[in-house]
Amino acid sequence: DHAGRLTMAAHARRFDEATWHFLAHLGVTPPHLRTAWRDVVVREQRVAYHAEVPAGALVVVRSRLLDVRRK
């Protein structure tokens, strides 16, 4: 933003990117989803902001899988 901090949209992109990295770590990649005719739904995200993040700073996102269901 104008003050050199990450915007909410930039934060959302980081969490989206982190989700795909997490899924790939579990073996759920876009090619796998297309081949298996499957999709992924993230039902809930809990985000805790501890401080403002200056633009260009390293952002650490920790993820864990809580549940897997058929639908």
Side-chain angles (χ1 to χ4, degrees):
D1 68 4
H2 64 282
R5 297 178 302 247
L6 258 70
T7 63
M8 291 303 292
H11 279 290
R13 281 192 302 276
R14 297 303 178 271
F15 289 112
D16 182 58
E17 292 166 2
T19 298
W20 284 107
H21 283 282
F22 178 66
L23 290 172
H25 179 73
L26 298 175
V28 182
T29 61
H32 170 76
L33 292 171
R34 283 191 298 273
T35 304
W37 289 79
R38 298 282 185 241
D39 205 354
V40 172
V41 175
V42 177
R43 198 183 116 232
E44 180 178 345
Q45 285 184 332
R46 296 179 189 178
V47 179
Y49 296 98
H50 298 282
E52 287 185 353
V53 179
L58 176 66
V59 176
V60 176
V61 178
R62 292 188 177 100
S63 300
R64 65 183 172 148
L65 183 64
L66 298 177
D67 193 13
V68 174
R69 296 182 189 192
R70 289 190 62 79
K71 206 161 198 177

